[in-house]
């Protein structure tokens, strides 16, 4: 009887030690979500003219203050604009350029642009290593004079390729803002 008890105890101790052992001594890398306080979109008209800046700045992040959203001027009707976007973390000094991380991890990011009103088209001018759009560089074409809305959303780990919609892209939103625009003759 003592032999059975001893064997049972040794079996229990052996199973306990095996359950606690780890074959993987390398800790899993955690990719912390970046803090983005500011998104700045710059639109440069083909052929010259005034650059237009769209900016959303939320220096207190999830704090009580709403983001400050600005548009530096009106867009011109029936004009092609070269666009670029920059993301910053201004809680640090100097500000951290999150755009560099998006470029380095381009297969894991996409800026989605959703337009309504008198914006004729938006096309991507950059791609990741697999040939899928990233959206740090783009072309925007205005239509006739009127009102428009441009929404820009940075998605982390979107489905690629996708249909260009937020639902189709999936992933997690790192930053989003909507801008009300006026298009003039």
């Amino acid at each position: 009887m003592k032999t059975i008890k001893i064997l049972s105890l040794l079996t229990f101790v052996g199973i306990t030690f095996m359950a606690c052992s780890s074959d993987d001594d390398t800790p899993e890398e955690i990719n912390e979500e970046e803090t983005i306080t500011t998104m700045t979109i710059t639109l440069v008209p083909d052929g010259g003219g005034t650059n237009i800046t769209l900016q959303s700045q939320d220096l207190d992040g999830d704090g009580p203050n709403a983001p400050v959203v600005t548009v530096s001027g009106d867009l011109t009707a029936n004009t092609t604009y070269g666009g670029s976007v920059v993301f910053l973390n201004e809680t640090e000094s100097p500000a951290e350029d999150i755009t560099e991380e998006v470029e380095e991890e381009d297969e894991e990011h996409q800026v989605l642009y959703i337009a309504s009103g008198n914006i004729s088209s938006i096309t991507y001018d950059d791609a990741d290593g697999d040939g899928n759009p990233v959206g740090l560089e783009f072309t925007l074409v205005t239509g006739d004079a009127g009102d428009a809305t441009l929404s820009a959303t940075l998605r982390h780990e979107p489905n690629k390729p996708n249909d260009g919609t937020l639902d189709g892209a999936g992933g997690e939103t790192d930053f989003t803002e909507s801008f009300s625009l006026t298009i003039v003759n």
Side-chain angles (χ1 to χ4, degrees):
M1 186 74 166
K2 282 186 178 183
T3 305
I4 294 174
K5 286 183 180 179
I6 291 174
L7 286 175
S8 296
L9 179 62
L10 288 175
T11 303
F12 173 76
V13 170
I15 290 172
T16 302
F17 280 119
M18 288 189 330
C20 293
S21 75
S22 174
D23 294 335
D24 186 9
D25 294 333
T26 306
E28 184 177 326
E29 184 178 325
I30 297 174
N31 188 4
E32 290 187 28
E33 187 175 318
E34 53 277 324
T35 299
I36 300 173
T37 60
T38 306
M39 174 175 61
T40 304
I41 298 173
T42 303
L43 299 172
V44 179
D46 284 1
T50 303
N51 294 354
I52 304 299
T53 303
L54 317 176
Q55 186 175 69
S56 176
Q57 188 176 46
D58 191 3
L59 296 180
D60 71 343
D62 291 333
N65 299 324
V68 176
V69 178
T70 58
V71 177
S72 68
D74 297 334
L75 300 176
T76 303
N78 303 307
T79 301
T80 300
Y81 289 87
S84 62
V85 62
V86 173
F87 297 97
L88 299 176
N89 174 4
E90 293 185 293
T91 62
E92 297 184 7
S93 181
E96 179 184 9
D97 187 351
I98 303 299
T99 315
E100 294 173 358
E101 182 179 333
V102 173
E103 288 172 332
E104 290 171 10
E105 300 174 2
D106 58 3
E107 292 173 356
E108 298 173 15
H109 291 91
Q110 184 176 356
V111 183
L112 293 129
Y113 297 97
I114 310 296
S116 64
N118 289 24
I119 294 177
S120 298
S121 66
I122 297 175
T123 54
Y124 290 94
D125 293 340
D126 58 355
D128 64 21
D130 294 328
N132 294 308
V134 178
L136 296 175
E137 304 287 331
F138 63 98
T139 299
L140 179 145
V141 179
T142 58
D144 293 333
D147 294 325
T149 301
L150 177 64
S151 296
T153 302
L154 175 62
R155 283 286 171 98
H156 183 76
E157 295 186 350
N159 301 317
K160 285 190 172 187
N162 59 61
D163 62 5
T165 66
L166 296 176
D167 287 339
E172 294 187 23
T173 298
D174 284 342
F175 197 90
T176 189
E177 190 59 70
S178 240
F179 301 93
S180 295
L181 305 171
T182 302
I183 300 169
V184 298
N185 286 321

